[in-house]
Amino acid sequence: MVRRLIVPILLVAASSMQACGFCLSTTVPRVRLDLQFEKTLPSTDLSPVETEEAVRGLPPVLQQIADERREFQMNLGKAMDTLRKDMPYILKRSPDFNIYHDDIVVIDPSGVQLTGLDSYKSSVRFLQTFCKFWFQERSGLQYRMVYDFARSSIRISWHAVLVPKVPLGRPMHIDGISMYKLDSVSGKIVEHKIENLMINDSKVIPPYGIVSLMQQELVGFGGQPGLGVPAGI
């Protein structure tokens, strides 16, 4: 009987205290513990300036390696984007030569080498002039690009179909692989090597060059030995 009377009295007293603005002391330590816990949490938000300072805090040798690697990756991305844009029209319009090193070396299957960016530009212009004179505008090129990490090179497998202007001339199918080697520091292309070149299923071998075998195909020689122009022409 006493217990039944005490419980309602305690409930009424608690309600009266809350109505008057009082709170039970049992909740205070919990709030204080939460506040103290939040104050002890470490801050994980770093400003861009603090992040840059953390990167710049590397030892000089490691910092130089990091800077060179960053520059290489930027130039690699630029080179691949530029080649992706230039390759479909490489036989018709001038490509962007800013991705090439001034001392670039160009090697074709005949073994002929061209050195220097000016020589490379001249060879591209000559090839474009040759194709424009002998082949129709609807000639085109398809390609597939990958990056070879083992050789630090950009590998492009390409297939060109050239339709001659000569009456009754058959289309010429040219397949090859272009390997673009990048400088390990600057990321510029220092070597362009053409491999596995085939014209109408005939492999280009020394001492004949690309243009000489295309001329033979046009006049109907079929790439027979002894009838070609020396490599490099």
Side-chain angles (χ1 to χ4, degrees), residues 13-135:
S15 300
S16 300
M17 293 176 64
Q18 292 178 356
C20 294
F22 296 98
C23 60
L24 295 178
S25 60
T26 54
T27 61
V28 174
R30 184 178 302 171
V31 174
R32 290 179 178 175
L33 287 175
D34 292 341
L35 292 176
Q36 293 176 356
F37 179 72
E38 290 178 359
K39 290 181 180 179
T40 58
L41 287 176
S43 176
T44 57
D45 296 332
L46 294 177
S47 65
V49 176
E50 292 173 337
T51 303
E52 182 67 19
E53 290 178 352
V55 174
R56 292 295 177 183
L58 295 174
V61 176
L62 295 179
Q63 184 63 55
Q64 181 180 359
I65 295 175
D67 292 341
E68 291 176 353
R69 190 61 185 174
R70 187 183 300 110
E71 182 180 1
F72 175 84
Q73 291 176 347
M74 291 177 59
N75 287 328
L76 172 60
K78 180 181 178 181
M80 295 188 71
D81 289 340
T82 301
L83 289 172
R84 189 178 293 110
K85 178 186 65 176
D86 290 342
M87 281 302 296
Y89 311 100
I90 191 65
L91 300 178
K92 301 177 182 180
R93 68 187 187 192
S94 180
D96 185 355
F97 291 102
N98 291 324
I99 60 175
Y100 300 97
H101 198 278
D102 291 337
D103 298 325
I104 183 175
V105 176
V106 185
I107 307 173
D108 75 354
S110 66
V112 172
Q113 294 188 14
L114 298 176
T115 303
L117 187 56
D118 291 337
S119 298
Y120 187 44
K121 291 179 179 179
S122 299
S123 65
V124 172
R125 285 195 297 266
F126 175 78
L127 182 61
Q128 291 174 343
T129 302
F130 179 86
C131 291
K132 184 177 180 180
F133 180 81
W134 285 102
F135 301 100

Side-chain angles (χ1 to χ4, degrees), residues 207-226:
Y208 304 107
I210 301 174
V211 176
S212 63
L213 283 187
M214 286 196 296
Q215 288 175 332
Q216 292 177 12
E217 290 290 337
L218 285 172
V219 298
F221 288 136
Q224 297 178 7

